[in-house]
Amino acid sequence: MAAQNNNKDVAALVEKITGLHAAIAKLPSLSPSPDVDALFTELVTACVPPSPVDVTKLGPEAQEMREGLIRLCSEAEGKLEAHYSDMLAAFDNPLDHLGIFPYYSNYINLSKLEYELLARYVPGGIAPVRVAFIGSGPLPFSSFVLAARHLPDTMFDNYDLCGAANDRASKLFRADTDVGARMSFHTADVADLASELAKYDVVFLAALVGMAAEDKAKVIVHLGAHMADGAALVVRSAHGARGFLYPIVDPQDIGRGGFEVLAVCHPDDDVVNSVIIAQKSKEVHADGLGSARGAGGQYARGTVPVVSPPCRFGEMVADVTQNHKRDEFANAEVAF
């Protein structure tokens, strides 16, 4: 009966998302407007709650709809960020007014989660000298929050394909002598970066870099070929119905790219993206997954360590039979 109910729920959700996709596709423009805002608000509201849907197993027609919807979401997100970046640039010190962006708190929470996961699961912790953010866009909130709140001594190199996005982003930091002095912006395709990647201790890969699964996998393989051994990789993904908004990354694709997958986190709050933490390693098993080390204890070969946000729950790991610290972490209150 539960499976039957799940099937009905999934069918109803796919029908609703299909209708929203059709309505969004008919819009004359995806620039911010009451109609655009209303439709995307309805879309996000439908996709964020927990759902039994596995979007990777949808039929061909629904899969094509989903891919088209992700492209529309990407375009709309770019236009929204450009709009607010221009608004912020009109202030004497734009960084004092970031709260005018309606989703700024989401970036604060996502960056906090990413930092906490890095600090907990990368062996030896992290104290990066240089960080790269691939796909930073016209509103590089993630880099700003990480630099201002979590990594006060780190230099940030932000990469984006779009020169106009980088021009907008750089204007936001013109009046800041601390974070602004640690931010640089580069117009480049990640596929054209090679030796540069070896100088970074951590590389962040934005959710919309490589929207198709095969494109994302190619980017990860390229990063694996050029990042330094021991460097950390943070990949943004999606889970459940949130996969209608953003691409889903298979952790095994990350493993096949030359990385050891250390943790996979699927938030269930207003942080829409899932987060995958990995490390460039020479010692990666043939199945693409290593044995996670450090604070979380050992995981069985080939298992993906799925964890809950450390700031809220302590640790929950898939395949807990291999985790001898399960009870210790389940009752621990973790703070960073």
Side-chain angles (χ1 to χ4, degrees), residues 297-301 303 318-325:
Q298 294 294 321
Y299 298 106
R301 176 176 295 197
T303 64
D319 198 7
V320 291
T321 57
Q322 299 296 328
N323 183 12
H324 66 280
K325 291 192 175 182

Side-chain angles (χ1 to χ4, degrees), residues 10-292:
V10 168
L13 176 66
V14 172
E15 183 179 359
K16 180 175 181 62
I17 301 299
T18 300
L20 287 169
H21 168 255
I24 291 169
K26 290 177 182 175
L27 290 168
S29 169
L30 293 178
S31 296
S33 70
D35 288 344
V36 171
D37 296 347
L39 281 170
F40 277 101
T41 296
E42 188 176 356
L43 176 65
V44 171
T45 301
C47 292
V48 165
S51 168
V53 67
D54 182 348
V55 299
T56 65
K57 295 180 179 177
L58 296 174
E61 188 174 337
Q63 207 59 263
E64 184 179 354
M65 178 275 293
R66 172 182 169 256
E67 291 170 2
L69 183 58
I70 289 174
R71 286 192 293 270
L72 290 171
C73 288
S74 175
E75 183 181 348
E77 187 172 306
K79 290 180 181 297
L80 181 71
E81 291 190 0
H83 173 76
Y84 276 94
S85 188
D86 289 343
M87 285 179 60
L88 285 164
F91 292 103
D92 290 338
N93 189 345
L95 299 184
D96 290 340
H97 303 275
L98 299 183
I100 68 171
F101 185 69
Y103 308 110
Y104 179 51
S105 62
N106 293 26
Y107 285 91
I108 292 174
N109 294 333
L110 174 57
S111 296
K112 180 176 184 285
L113 172 62
E114 290 172 330
Y115 172 74
E116 290 175 342
L117 290 170
L118 280 167
R120 182 164 188 171
Y121 291 102
V122 173
I126 59 162
V129 176
R130 294 197 82 89
V131 163
F133 197 99
I134 311 296
S136 48
L139 276 184
F141 283 150
S142 296
S143 290
F144 170 74
V145 172
L146 287 162
R149 298 184 177 218
H150 304 295
L151 299 170
D153 301 314
T154 302
M155 303 295 290
F156 283 77
D157 288 334
N158 299 280
Y159 292 92
D160 201 278
L161 271 173
C162 178
N166 284 325
D167 289 343
R168 284 186 164 99
S170 62
K171 290 177 183 176
L172 303 182
F173 295 89
R174 66 181 185 272
D176 190 274
T177 57
D178 172 24
V179 176
R182 294 187 283 124
M183 289 282 168
S184 60
F185 297 90
H186 312 273
T187 301
D189 187 328
V190 63
D192 296 328
L193 303 177
S195 59
E196 302 97 321
L197 293 170
K199 66 186 179 183
Y200 299 114
D201 304 296
V202 184
V203 174
F204 288 81
L205 185 62
L208 293 172
V209 175
M211 284 186 279
E214 58 272 20
D215 294 334
K216 184 84 72 174
K218 287 178 184 176
V219 171
I220 291 167
V221 167
H222 181 78
L223 292 173
H226 297 287
M227 284 173 59
D229 288 337
L233 176 66
V234 181
V235 179
R236 293 177 179 177
S237 181
H239 183 67
R242 300 171 185 213
F244 286 109
L245 305 173
Y246 290 103
I248 289 177
V249 182
D250 185 344
Q252 294 198 30
D253 283 341
I254 297 176
R256 283 187 284 266
F259 296 90
E260 179 179 358
V261 177
L262 302 176
V264 179
C265 182
H266 301 307
D268 59 3
D269 55 13
D270 61 351
V271 174
V272 176
N273 290 116
S274 298
V275 178
I276 304 174
I277 304 294
Q279 186 175 39
K280 174 70 183 299
S281 175
K282 290 181 179 178
E283 300 175 359
V284 176
H285 303 312
D287 56 15
L289 294 169
S291 299

